[in-house]
Amino acid sequence: MSDRRNPFGVPPEQTSPASPPDIFESLPVAAPRERDRAWERKHQNRKVVYRGVDPKAALQVRQIADELKVPTGEVARALLEYGLDAYSRGDLNLSPRPNPARLRMTLFPSKDAPARKVKKAGKRKPSKEEAWRVITTWRNFSPELKHEIAVLASDKGLDVPVGELVSVFLQYALKAYESGDLALQPVEKITRYSLALGGDF
Amino acid sequence: MSTKIIGIANQKGGVGKTTTAVSLAHGLALRGKQVLLVDLDPQGQSATALGRSPESGVFYLLTMGNSQQESSFVQSWVRSSGRDGLYLYPGDQQTMAAQTVLNAQNQPVSSIRTALKPFFKEGLHYIIFDTAPSVGGIQERAVWASDLVIVPTATEFLSAEGVGKVAYMMSILQQKKGWKGALLGILPTFFDAQTRESKITNTALQERFGESVLEPIHRATILRECAASGKTIFEYDDKCRSAEEYMNLTKLVLKF
């Protein structure tokens, strides 16, 4: 293999001082477009960030959005509205339990959760990413819905982490979507009009 | 968004230009874009890969003038691919004759871009060129018409050497002919991590072109099978590695 040539090497007969300069140096290379974040700045109140949302449910929301070719936030909004409606009607029963590890209640009680965690001395093992560390961000979200969910999750409501509440609503609505009880119908969005030329001028 | 033209070019044959052009075009269409795939290769295999028949559209695109009547005629050759958002401008062996006409008429390097101007008003997001593995007129004009160029290359010595020639052509077009486009990337194809040749060539490409070398497309029989059945890789098996690799390429293109 020692006699292997470099595909981009200059042939020996071209290495004289009269050789042209390296053409690769002047090759125009494209750079990715810089994203204009003006929309995000303008619609800051339509952005929502939740911690501890079930990652599988969040991924499913994204997949549905991809299938329907609509923004992920709109799918999340539709699913959460469905879950919230079901809760208001009494179709979805939420019964928070005390969480032994925290002060707040939980919607996902673990049967074998220890009453109190005792930290062992020594080196801390790297653990799996805990649910509360997972951050989910959606845009195109309704500020009213965001407020409604926050109030329901607060100590004036169910007193549970908002991520848990969002997870329960999403799981409920996703189940309904899969069974066909909830239909998501994308509609064409007209963003601008153009003038049609016609008639007598 | 204005129409962006992407040229898939390499003077070397058998490096995966048609597969890349068809897969990228369909990938973009699947992401909700309106795409026109222009088959500038006289073999007309973009049409075949999409399950359509080669036709002489490109001959007229390259040889007709710019009058309103001629433009309408040229636009009438756009064919539906049978897939949402993906349209085909078919070519066939007549494209070779068009090359002779272009050279005989001494048409400027901008002639293909000028011929495509009427399409810019059609709400297209992307025009993709599948070019011929040759030099002599069409490929240079196609590269000049492109805003971005992807150079597929098989991961073996002779193909990699061909990349240098395309790069040289692009440099010359920029310096001498005022080309405003740029290289989007070099796409290693037929990559086989089991073979020494593939790995060495890929390393040589990365040493020479650095970040312009894109993630490789692995050698896969399924890519030949889907062409044989007239389906794109996303229709044939959208879960396979090749589909994933071409979808990653699509997502990268959307960033430019």
Side-chain angles (χ1 to χ4, degrees):
Chain A
M1 296 300 289
S2 58
D3 58 347
R4 188 185 170 86
R5 291 170 294 162
N6 180 351
F8 312 110
V10 180
E13 65 273 17
Q14 284 185 22
T15 50
S16 65
S19 301
D22 189 347
I23 49 109
F24 301 123
E25 303 308 323
S26 60
L27 190 64
V29 176
R33 270 179 294 142
E34 282 198 13
R35 287 190 65 184
D36 177 12
R37 299 279 181 184
W39 189 93
E40 280 87 345
R41 282 195 294 275
K42 196 176 167 190
H43 297 87
Q44 196 63 29
N45 67 333
R46 300 186 73 82
K47 170 187 163 187
V48 71
V49 180
Y50 289 128
R51 204 181 268 278
V53 174
D54 174 20
K56 279 185 191 167
L59 182 66
Q60 254 180 295
V61 171
R62 175 174 275 198
Q63 285 168 343
I64 293 171
D66 278 353
E67 278 167 27
L68 301 177
K69 292 177 185 146
V70 295
T72 312
E74 287 189 9
V75 174
R77 178 185 165 182
L79 295 175
L80 290 173
E81 277 175 349
Y82 183 82
L84 198 60
D85 275 357
Y87 175 70
S88 311
R89 285 196 312 268
D91 293 346
L92 171 62
N93 182 29
L94 299 178
S95 38
R97 308 268 175 81
N99 185 350
R102 293 181 189 280
L103 289 173
R104 304 186 79 180
M105 309 280 268
T106 180
L107 292 167
F108 297 94
S110 167
K111 281 175 190 170
D112 43 19
R116 192 180 166 200
K117 280 183 182 173
V118 181
K119 278 187 182 174
K120 283 182 185 172
K123 212 174 179 183
R124 197 182 168 207
K125 277 187 185 174
S127 60
K128 280 185 184 175
E129 197 170 31
E130 292 166 58
W132 66 270
R133 286 187 191 276
V134 180
I135 293 172
T136 309
T137 306
W138 292 310
R139 297 184 191 278
N140 248 350
F141 207 81
S142 141
E144 294 79 22
L145 179 63
K146 181 179 165 181
H147 178 70
E148 223 173 317
I149 291 173
V151 169
L152 184 59
S154 72
D155 53 1
K156 289 171 192 158
L158 299 166
D159 194 19
V160 293
V162 71
E164 285 192 11
L165 185 61
V166 168
S167 298
V168 170
F169 284 155
L170 282 184
Q171 287 164 355
Y172 179 81
L174 284 168
K175 211 175 273 179
Y177 179 71
E178 280 163 11
S179 65
D181 291 341
L182 167 63
L184 299 176
Q185 187 63 47
V187 288
E188 218 167 296
K189 190 176 175 184
I190 297 168
T191 52
R192 60 182 167 176
Y193 294 90
S194 62
L195 285 173
L197 291 176
D200 300 323
F201 290 98
Chain B
M1 178 184 169
S2 58
T3 309
K4 197 157 275 181
I5 302 181
I6 299 177
I8 311 295
N10 192 340
Q11 294 158 12
K12 178 89 172 64
V15 294
K17 286 191 293 291
T18 301
T19 304
T20 300
V22 169
S23 304
L24 177 62
H26 192 209
L28 289 167
L30 288 172
R31 303 292 290 187
K33 303 296 177 191
Q34 297 290 311
V35 186
L36 177 67
L37 174 60
V38 181
D39 192 354
L40 294 171
D41 187 343
Q43 294 176 79
Q45 289 187 325
S46 289
T48 319
L50 288 169
R52 309 275 315 187
S53 301
E55 291 180 84
S56 304
V58 166
F59 173 81
Y60 297 108
L61 174 77
L62 299 179
T63 54
M64 294 291 249
N66 298 319
S67 71
Q68 200 173 349
Q69 205 176 355
E70 284 169 310
S71 288
S72 300
F73 178 73
V74 164
Q75 286 185 65
S76 72
W77 283 93
V78 174
R79 300 285 182 255
S80 161
S81 73
R83 292 137 180 109
D84 282 348
L86 176 56
Y87 304 91
L88 173 71
Y89 205 93
D92 63 4
Q93 69 276 11
Q94 284 276 79
T95 307
M96 285 295 283
Q99 178 151 297
T100 313
V101 173
L102 282 178
N103 292 335
Q105 292 177 340
N106 205 14
Q107 289 280 347
V109 73
S110 59
S111 60
I112 291 185
R113 190 156 180 115
T114 307
L116 283 168
K117 272 188 182 161
F119 293 91
F120 293 175
K121 297 171 191 161
E122 298 298 315
L124 287 170
H125 296 111
Y126 290 96
I127 295 175
I128 311 277
F129 290 150
D130 178 20
T131 62
S134 66
V135 283
I138 292 180
Q139 188 164 111
E140 290 83 342
R141 288 172 174 90
V143 168
W144 196 93
S146 302
D147 299 302
L148 297 164
V149 175
I150 295 174
V151 183
T153 174
T155 40
E156 46 95 25
F157 181 86
L158 292 176
S159 296
E161 198 189 32
V163 175
K165 290 173 183 165
V166 184
Y168 180 71
M169 177 178 72
M170 286 193 282
S171 288
I172 295 295
L173 286 175
Q174 187 209 26
Q175 289 166 18
K176 305 270 168 73
K177 303 284 184 181
W179 177 47
K180 294 189 178 72
L183 173 72
L184 191 155
I186 290 154
L187 181 69
T189 54
F190 297 95
F191 182 70
D192 186 349
Q194 304 296 316
T195 66
R196 195 180 158 84
E197 177 64 22
S198 255
K199 283 193 277 189
I200 291 175
T201 308
N202 202 37
T203 307
L205 284 168
Q206 283 169 344
E207 282 171 2
R208 180 69 267 182
F209 297 102
E211 288 179 1
S212 292
V213 180
L214 309 176
E215 284 296 308
I217 306 291
H218 284 76
R219 179 185 294 277
T221 309
I222 198 167
L223 287 168
R224 290 200 292 266
E225 288 172 354
C226 66
S229 61
K231 291 178 178 171
T232 71
I233 190 66
F234 305 113
E235 293 164 332
Y236 198 76
D237 182 358
D238 67 342
K239 300 280 186 294
C240 70
R241 181 167 68 177
S242 302
E244 195 183 318
E245 289 171 345
Y246 272 116
M247 189 45 82
N248 288 341
L249 174 68
T250 303
K251 287 176 186 169
L252 179 83
V253 167
L254 287 167
K255 291 181 186 168
F256 284 80

